[in-house]
Amino acid sequence: MADMEKLDNELMDLRSMIESLEDDWRAMESDWDDLGNINDVEDELIPLVISTYAAIEDITSHVLVAYVVKDGISNTAFDYIYSDMSQSHREQFLIRCNLLSRQTRGKIGNFRALRNKIAHGSTERLDWYRDDVPHRMNLAFEVLDLFTAAFTDSEFIDELVRDEETAI
């Protein structure tokens, strides 16, 4: 059986990492060169985007384990959810369980487009405005903040399960 104490510790680490990522983003956003020279922040932006998307993957995995599977998960199932299940399948599963709204899934998809441009080696350089970097980064942290709230308020998840209109 998966060790729930280990899961709790990983969740605390994930929350801390999310706060740090968001702090890094806010600092980068406030220091942004309005003239549009992304070269000034690109070296920090690329790993920030990739790490932020990884945090979204991690936190959706945590939601699945904590609120859908709950107790009694085997190590094999745990590994599947965290390592082998695609993010798209996690999102579909969470939608079917009324834990994720289609609107929030759209926000994740919007951010994923930015991450994919970076991660899949597009030869086209990022552009702060054309790629709508501020909007997409803010969407990512909006999603992460919603999921983090779900873990600090168990009644929040219970309400989500009861009423699909209130899904994250």
Side-chain angles (χ1 to χ4, degrees), residues 19-89:
E19 288 174 11
S20 177
L21 290 170
E22 190 164 11
D23 289 346
D24 290 348
W25 165 242
R26 298 296 171 219
M28 186 181 298
E29 186 179 31
S30 70
D31 291 343
W32 169 244
D33 172 8
D34 289 334
L35 297 177
N37 186 3
I38 201 161
N39 295 333
D40 292 346
V41 296
E42 195 167 28
D43 288 343
E44 292 85 27
L45 179 63
I46 289 172
L48 180 64
V49 168
I50 292 170
S51 296
T52 300
Y53 190 74
I56 290 172
E57 291 178 328
D58 284 352
I59 205 156
T60 55
S61 296
H62 273 75
V63 169
L64 278 173
V65 170
Y67 294 107
V68 177
V69 179
K70 298 182 182 176
D71 299 326
I73 185 172
S74 70
N75 286 332
T76 303
F78 183 87
D79 290 343
Y80 173 74
I81 290 170
Y82 278 88
S83 301
D84 298 327
M85 185 180 225
S86 72
Q87 180 61 20
S88 177
H89 286 143

Side-chain angles (χ1 to χ4, degrees), residues 143-162:
V143 168
L144 286 168
D145 290 345
L146 283 169
F147 277 110
T148 301
F151 282 106
T152 57
D153 182 359
S154 61
E155 290 179 17
F156 181 72
I157 285 289
D158 293 339
E159 183 179 319
L160 295 177
V161 173
R162 284 192 305 271

